[in-house]
Structure formats: C-alpha cells, structure tokens
Amino acid sequence: MKIIRVNSYEEMSRKAADLIGEEINRKPDLVLGLATGSTPKGTYAQLVSDYEKGKVDFSLVRTVNLDEYAGLSPESPHSYRYFMNTQLFDHINIDPANTHIPDGLSDEEEECARYEQLITSLGGIDLQLLGLGHNGHIGFNEPADEYARYTHPVELTESTIQANSRLFENVRDMPRRALTMGVGTIMQAERILLIVSGEGKREALKQTLSGPIRPDFPASVLQLHRDVTVIAEADVF
Ligand code: GLP
C-alpha cells in the first residue's frame, strides 16, 4: 500500500481530487467507483472546483457507487443517489445516464445481480474511492464470517446504524438494510483510493494497514490488493 500522510482534511481532499483528476485525464472514459459519507465530501467539492476551472472533463466518465440504503427512493434526501447528485453530479458535466447507484426500491436480490452485471458490462472498475467505517466496513460490507464476493443485500450492524443515524432526524428513520458491492467487487478494481479522516478512525486505520486479514474487519483485505493508495490525516496514525 502507498500511504500518504497529510496535515488537514483540506489537504486530503485536494490530493484525492488530484489523483482522481489525473486518472480521468489519462483515461477520459474512466469507470470511477464512488463512495458516500462525510469523508469524501471535500474531495467532491475539489472535483467540482477543478471542473469549473477546466482542469477535468467528466463528459465520458462512467461512475458506479458502492452502495445504497434499501427502501429509500432516489428522491429521498437521505438516499445515496440524492447525496451524489447534490455533492457532485449536479455540478459537473457528467451524463446522468452514466452515473450508477443501486436502486434501493427494487427487489434486493434482482437489483444486486443487475448491478454486478452492470459493473462487468462496463469492463470493471478502474479506480475505486473508499471511505472507512469505524468497524472496518468498506461500502456496506459489515464485519462478517466470510467475505462477500458480489453485490449483495446486507443487514446493517448496530454500530453502523448509530454512526450514520446522525444524518437522520430520528434513529428510527434510518434504514436497517442496504445494497452494497461485495468485497470481491471492490477488490477487482484496478486501483483503490482509501481516504481516512478524523481521530475516531485511528484504530480502524491501524487494523486496515497492519491488522490480521480477516472478514470480521473487512478493510483489512485491502492489504492483499496490488494498487492501493491511502491518504489519511497525520493525527489518524
Ligand atoms: C457509510 C458508507 C461507507 C463510508 C462510511 C464512513 O456507512 N456506506 O461507504 O465509507 O459510511 O463514513 P464517514 O466518511 O461519514 O465516516
């Protein structure tokens, strides 16, 4: 793994956006895997700014998001589709038809099979952006007895529900299920960019970089990938 220590959230976001921009400039029809959560917000703001300055062109880029809550419509302000539209897609020249996120309202199993097939039909993921859950989840791959190979429905853990419910008015409104790319789907990406911010992620980062590789801490599997870049704030180490 290539590890880049930075001094601030802004620097992390700047470096992550630079790396993504370089990949798009190298391959204009990049298949870009995207993540949600607080961590990538600054990266998306930087990408919007780079687009406005003419430094990056999204017209041919295809995107696939990691995950979506089950039961939320794309219009729900809590859905990941809504997050991506408002944080990034609405502000750049990407073709909306080229932006893909699992549909939280469809039959779960059918939608997961469709989504996995879609990623295959795009030729796989060139660059996957990841955040890190406190419990080591990537996408919504929660700690488990085994790694999930493909996109699949999941029951969210209590730890994730508590962590993410801050974005809902009431913890009861938060979905208990989600659809997520599998660890296998993520590991097949050509290149992975993991961004980590906040002292609360210190133990999770340590386990990711040097803990035992085990499915009950899903991000540890990244140690086996041949091309991972980690950009993290110095105080998370
Ligand atoms: C969610 C997402 C993950 C994300 C994680 C961390 O659960 N499904 O993809 O990495 O939260 O979020 P944050 O960046 O807000 O800590």
Side-chain angles (χ1 to χ4, degrees):
M1 293 198 211
K2 181 178 175 196
I3 298 163
I4 302 174
R5 289 175 190 237
V6 294
N7 291 318
S8 66
Y9 179 81
E10 288 67 35
E11 196 185 349
M12 178 193 78
S13 305
R14 173 74 273 148
K15 283 202 179 332
D18 284 350
L19 190 150
I20 293 169
E22 281 161 20
E23 289 291 302
I24 294 172
N25 288 335
R26 187 183 59 78
K27 185 179 180 198
D29 64 346
L30 196 78
V31 178
L32 178 59
L34 295 173
T36 53
S38 310
T39 313
K41 279 186 175 183
T43 304
Y44 296 150
Q46 290 288 349
L47 285 171
V48 170
S49 157
D50 290 348
Y51 162 69
E52 287 168 349
K53 291 178 189 145
K55 284 164 70 178
V56 59
D57 174 11
F58 291 88
S59 58
L60 299 176
V61 170
R62 286 86 49 86
T63 65
V64 283
N65 262 78
L66 284 165
D67 47 15
E68 178 61 283
Y69 288 116
L72 293 189
S73 75
E75 293 77 30
S76 162
H78 296 302
S79 74
Y80 285 169
R81 164 55 77 180
Y82 184 90
F83 175 99
M84 290 309 306
N85 286 348
T86 52
Q87 297 292 322
L88 183 64
F89 301 151
D90 288 351
H91 312 291
I92 58 175
N93 66 336
I94 198 161
D95 179 349
N98 284 339
T99 68
H100 305 285
I101 301 180
D103 178 0
L105 293 183
S106 295
D107 176 87
E108 291 182 4
E109 294 291 346
E110 282 175 22
E111 176 60 6
C112 289
R114 181 197 73 81
Y115 200 69
E116 190 71 29
Q117 179 54 41
L118 169 88
I119 293 170
T120 304
S121 70
L122 293 174
I125 299 165
D126 293 306
L127 172 65
Q128 177 66 54
L129 177 65
L130 291 180
L132 179 62
H134 289 89
N135 62 1
H137 74 222
I138 45 176
F140 268 133
N141 288 278
E142 297 281 34
D145 294 336
E146 50 190 47
Y147 293 118
R149 183 177 290 228
Y150 302 116
T151 304
H152 61 291
V154 284
E155 190 92 35
L156 298 176
T157 62
E158 204 46 48
S159 136
T160 298
I161 291 167
Q162 288 307 326
N164 290 11
S165 63
R166 70 184 191 278
L167 304 170
F168 290 76
E169 289 79 49
N170 191 319
V171 65
R172 284 193 307 257
D173 298 335
M174 197 186 140
R176 270 24 188 185
R177 296 179 63 79
L179 314 182
T180 181
M181 284 185 198
V183 169
T185 325
I186 294 168
M187 288 294 281
Q188 281 180 44
E190 282 293 319
R191 188 171 185 192
I192 292 176
L193 170 58
L194 173 68
I195 52 176
V196 189
S197 156
E199 284 183 52
K201 298 275 176 76
R202 182 176 290 138
E203 185 55 29
L205 181 62
K206 189 174 155 203
Q207 292 297 323
T208 302
L209 299 180
S210 55
I213 297 163
R214 43 173 233 247
D216 66 351
F217 195 89
S220 60
V221 77
L222 297 175
Q223 294 173 39
L224 298 178
H225 194 280
R226 66 187 173 283
D227 192 353
V228 178
T229 301
V230 181
I231 307 178
E233 284 179 74
D235 61 2
V236 195
F237 288 91

